[in-house]
Amino acid sequence: MSFLSAETARALAELVALDALDGAAGPDGEDASPLERLGGIRSLVAALEADPAVLAAVREAVAAGIGWDEIAEAAGLSASAAKYRWAGDDETISARQEASRKRKRERPSSVPTELPGLSVAEAAARYGVTAQAIYQRVTRGILRAETVELPDGRKYKRVFPDEPDAG
């Protein structure tokens, strides 16, 4: 009996079947396409990540007295990442994952484009200098800059060149 879930075993079998086609003509006379191979690999990775066998193996290792450093090394993670994923009971892990998903949902994914003025990087590119040089010009009063705070609390330093070729 396999320790993998039925879904993971199916994804593995499908990938093995695609691998067997590599170099040998398939039923339609062609090899598996690169996209089919990519899809098969990603399906297996997703199934393995969600497979209860992973958590069961971690819990067995912890019960056997194996430390988080060794568990993390076997999983290809840092010890803190391994603990974050697998430490605690099901309820604790679920709550931690939900809190992470909530933070990701509430966090904007990009810098807004409708901000006034220029970013420090944009100003540096415009004047052909480094960002540090822009900050120095602001400190010296050559350029005007303000910190713009958005309603969600994010803050951005914006530069307002008074003259088109200040520099």
Side-chain angles (χ1 to χ4, degrees):
M1 173 154 210
S2 173
F3 59 84
L4 298 175
S5 70
E7 182 180 336
T8 303
R10 180 197 48 75
L12 179 58
E14 288 176 4
L15 189 59
V16 168
L18 282 176
D19 186 53
L21 291 178
D22 193 34
D28 58 0
E30 294 185 20
D31 291 341
S33 77
L35 293 180
E36 287 174 313
R37 293 191 310 261
L38 176 61
I41 292 166
R42 295 304 303 159
S43 291
L44 178 58
V45 168
L48 285 167
E49 283 292 325
D51 198 305
V54 174
L55 182 58
V58 169
R59 287 183 172 160
E60 287 175 32
V62 168
I66 297 172
W68 284 107
D69 289 334
E70 292 175 273
I71 292 169
E73 186 176 330
L77 299 169
S78 68
S80 61
K83 286 180 190 176
Y84 183 83
R85 283 187 188 194
W86 301 310
D89 60 13
D90 290 345
E91 188 175 315
T92 302
I93 293 170
S94 180
R96 194 168 44 239
Q97 289 173 342
E98 180 54 34
S100 179
R101 282 191 290 272
K102 182 179 178 186
R103 281 191 306 274
K104 288 177 184 174
R105 280 192 305 266
E106 293 173 356
R107 182 180 336 142
S109 60
S110 64
V111 175
T113 56
E114 66 281 349
L115 294 174
L118 303 172
S119 70
V120 173
E122 291 166 339
R126 175 184 278 188
Y127 297 124
V129 298
T130 64
Q132 184 61 36
I134 295 298
Y135 286 115
Q136 288 174 347
R137 291 176 186 191
V138 169
T139 300
R140 293 178 183 151
I142 297 170
L143 289 173
R144 183 175 65 88
E146 294 176 13
T147 300
V148 176
E149 184 171 357
L150 301 180
D152 63 8
R154 291 179 293 162
K155 296 179 182 179
Y156 296 93
K157 178 70 82 180
R158 304 302 289 183
V159 179
F160 300 91
D162 293 328
E163 301 172 16
D165 31 84

